[in-house]
């Protein structure tokens, strides 16, 4: 079918929005078959159904490249604790934090996790998201890690959305292996990863490199196993301190390093050399009331692509709106609206290793977000009240 009479944000080129005014997109077999000014539409497409978009703005479907949306329970009580002066690290060290969610997620059935995950996915879809990354990491035992990944694999069977899974067994040592991180990795994390690969449940491997989680050496052991299995890697890096996570991710050729508030100049340079995407997670920065800003100027000067994601999770970023994450990235981190939109389209797709999403180009997935807006900056400007008019997934209108 044809989507015509629209202002298209193509992201053709390395700068600017690549806007095609009064443009048209032809979708065939789930891909973009033709794109350009509607006045130049080839005659061979004249008989296709034509949706007149009446001058609306069309962007690539949004990509949320970092979420923990499969989990049970919530941590509102920890929100209160932080407001009363407790730090995230203090709560975690006292048995709260991730371990609270682990206990609830272990108790939940696969069906219960699926129901709550679909509710979160529906919210993201209502704001134009067509691709979402979903992590494990709230099981920390073999059965629950696999349960989470099986739920993730069911999402795109029930909703018109593309799902990429990340195995995050190296999130933190489980309560059974507290202070025995190496043993946890050998007995739980790595065996769970091997089974997940056999069952085709995992697209990438992630880790958390931080004092409250795993050391660079421990994360390296997980990444080495992942690479032997032919899997790309990602890393929660330098969120609370500079443990060299950005450099570690770059040394392993990671798709992305995420958070990065404390990343060093050396780490940024290493990411630039390896092509690793920097994923900005302003929801966690906001929720934890952090003050150390990611080195945005260094990322720009070294041409490190920056993505933006919700980090949707029950503890440090209970954020269900990628549009609000875009606004936060601009307001808190001083990204431009163009950087923010690239960060939730082409750069987010790059952070997931996707070469056919995040732009409006011939051959790419025909995933579109159609907005009641005149200029793309409006998407980062507003706080609440989505301007989404319609969403197209694989060439089909879904709302």
């Amino acid at each position: 079918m044809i989507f015509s009479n629209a202002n298209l944000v193509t992201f053709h080129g390395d700068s600017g929005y690549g806007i095609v005014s009064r443009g048209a997109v032809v979708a065939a077999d789930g891909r973009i078959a033709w794109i350009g000014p509607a006045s130049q539409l080839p005659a061979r497409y004249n008989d296709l159904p034509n949706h007149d978009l009446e001058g609306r703005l069309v962007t690539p479907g949004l990509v949320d490249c970092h979420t923990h949306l499969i989990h049970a329970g919530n941590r509102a009580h920890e929100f209160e604790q932080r407001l009363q002066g407790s730090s995230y690290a203090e709560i975690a060290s006292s048995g709260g934090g991730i371990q609270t969610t682990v206990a609830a997620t272990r108790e939940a059935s696969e069906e219960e996790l699926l129901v709550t995950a679909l509710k979160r996915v529906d919210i993201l879809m209502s704001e134009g998201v067509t691709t979402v990354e979903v992590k494990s990491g709230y099981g920390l035992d073999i059965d629950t890690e696999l349960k989470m990944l099986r739920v993730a694999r069911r999402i795109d069977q029930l909703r018109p959305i593309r799902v990429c899974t990340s195995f995050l067994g190296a999130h933190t040592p489980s309560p059974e292996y507290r202070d025995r991180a190496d043993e946890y990795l050998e007995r739980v994390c790595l065996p769970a990863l091997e089974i997940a690969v056999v069952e085709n449940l995992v697209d990438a491997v992630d880790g958390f490199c931080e004092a409250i989680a795993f050391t660079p050496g421990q994360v390296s052991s997980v990444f080495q196993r992942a690479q032997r299995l032919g899997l790309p890697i990602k890393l929660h890096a330098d969120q609370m301190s500079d443990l060299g996570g950005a450099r570690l991710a770059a040394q392993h050729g990671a798709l992305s390093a995420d958070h990065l508030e404390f990343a060093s100049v050396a780490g940024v340079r290493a990411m630039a050399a390896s092509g690793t995407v920097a994923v900005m997670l302003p929801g966690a920065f906001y929720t934890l009331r952090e003050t150390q800003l990611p080195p945005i100027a260094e990322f720009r000067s070294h041409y490190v692509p920056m993505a933006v994601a919700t980090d949707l999770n029950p503890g440090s970023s209970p954020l269900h709106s990628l549009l609000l994450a875009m606004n936060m990235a601009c307001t808190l981190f001083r990204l431009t609206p163009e950087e923010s939109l690239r960060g939730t389209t082409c750069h987010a797709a790059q952070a997931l290793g996707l070469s056919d999403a995040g732009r409006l180009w011939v051959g790419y997935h025909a995933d579109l977000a159609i907005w009641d807006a005149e200029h793309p900056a409006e998407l980062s400007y507003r706080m609440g009240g989505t301007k989404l008019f319609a969403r197209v997934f694989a060439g089909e209108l879904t709302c």
Side-chain angles (χ1 to χ4, degrees):
M1 62 180 65
I2 303 170
F3 301 92
S4 65
N5 190 17
N7 294 318
L8 310 176
V9 177
T10 67
F11 286 122
H12 188 78
D14 294 328
S15 62
Y17 293 108
I19 293 177
V20 176
S21 300
R22 297 183 179 85
V25 178
V26 177
D29 298 321
R31 301 272 176 171
I32 296 174
W34 186 90
I35 186 169
S39 61
Q40 299 176 18
L41 185 69
R44 65 181 180 275
Y45 298 123
N46 286 347
D47 294 334
L48 292 179
N50 190 341
H51 292 275
D52 185 343
L53 299 182
E54 300 178 333
R56 291 184 170 87
L57 185 75
V58 176
T59 69
L62 303 187
V63 178
D64 195 348
C65 66
H66 183 129
T67 84
H68 304 253
L69 64 79
I70 295 176
H71 61 265
N74 69 74
R75 306 220 300 262
H77 62 289
E78 293 181 7
F79 177 68
E80 288 188 318
Q81 286 180 280
R82 288 196 300 272
L83 291 175
Q84 293 166 359
S86 297
S87 70
Y88 183 83
E90 288 170 342
I91 292 170
S93 65
S94 65
I98 292 170
Q99 303 294 355
T100 300
T101 303
V102 167
T105 304
R106 286 179 176 182
E107 291 179 5
S109 69
E110 186 171 314
E111 291 302 318
E112 288 170 335
L113 290 176
L114 180 63
V115 167
T116 55
L118 290 176
K119 290 178 181 178
R120 296 170 189 129
V121 167
D122 287 342
I123 296 171
L124 293 174
M125 288 172 52
S126 74
E127 291 194 345
V129 173
T130 55
T131 300
V132 62
E133 184 258 16
V134 180
K135 303 181 191 295
S136 69
Y138 287 133
L140 307 185
D141 61 25
I142 293 174
D143 289 344
T144 313
E145 288 294 303
L146 297 174
K147 177 174 67 175
M148 293 181 69
L149 292 169
R150 291 185 188 115
V151 170
R153 281 291 194 236
R154 293 176 64 185
I155 290 172
D156 61 10
Q157 300 172 19
L158 300 170
R159 293 292 188 272
I161 193 168
R162 187 177 189 175
V163 176
C164 300
T165 61
S166 294
F167 175 80
L168 184 56
H171 200 181
T172 189
S174 70
E176 298 85 358
Y177 288 90
R178 189 173 183 178
D179 301 322
R180 292 182 292 150
D182 290 330
E183 190 176 353
Y184 165 78
L185 293 177
E186 285 299 322
R187 294 193 175 187
V188 178
C189 178
L190 295 178
L193 173 59
E194 297 277 356
I195 298 170
V197 170
V198 171
E199 294 188 17
N200 191 31
L201 297 176
V202 56
D203 299 318
V205 173
D206 201 343
F208 188 16
C209 184
E210 195 61 64
I212 62 172
F214 295 99
T215 67
Q218 289 165 339
V219 171
S220 287
S221 69
V222 176
F223 285 174
Q224 288 164 8
R225 181 71 60 88
Q227 290 174 317
R228 285 199 296 271
L229 293 168
L231 292 168
I233 59 171
K234 304 165 68 67
L235 183 64
H236 291 58
D238 302 335
Q239 179 185 6
M240 302 170 188
S241 60
D242 180 13
L243 290 185
R247 292 194 305 275
L248 174 66
Q251 288 166 1
H252 287 276
L255 292 174
S256 73
D258 304 26
H259 287 291
L260 297 169
E261 282 88 337
F262 287 85
S264 66
V265 174
V268 173
R269 289 173 178 162
M271 291 176 63
S274 65
T276 300
V277 176
V279 180
M280 303 292 99
L281 302 173
F285 180 91
Y286 170 84
T287 300
L288 298 179
R289 295 186 297 168
E290 299 289 353
T291 57
Q292 175 77 27
L293 290 166
I296 302 298
E298 293 292 339
F299 291 138
R300 286 180 181 139
S301 65
H302 289 88
Y303 302 101
V304 175
M306 292 180 285
V308 176
T310 61
D311 191 16
L312 195 170
N313 75 71
S316 63
S317 186
L319 175 61
H320 292 66
S321 171
L322 190 54
L323 292 176
L324 184 53
M326 291 166 62
N327 174 273
M328 288 179 170
C330 293
T331 303
L332 300 176
F333 295 167
R334 298 296 188 266
L335 266 63
T336 67
E338 180 195 329
E339 288 173 328
S340 186
L341 186 53
R342 281 182 176 269
T344 53
T345 53
C346 52
H347 289 165
Q350 185 178 345
L352 296 177
L354 302 177
S355 59
D356 57 2
R359 301 179 192 264
L360 301 186
W361 289 6
V362 171
Y364 274 52
H365 273 253
D367 298 342
L368 318 175
I370 304 167
W371 309 93
D372 278 319
E374 296 179 2
H375 192 276
E378 293 181 44
L379 304 182
S380 295
Y381 155 71
R382 297 182 182 276
M383 294 184 289
T386 177
K387 300 281 285 182
L388 187 71
F389 171 76
R391 177 181 172 278
V392 176
F393 180 74
E396 300 288 338
L397 280 166
T398 63
C399 65

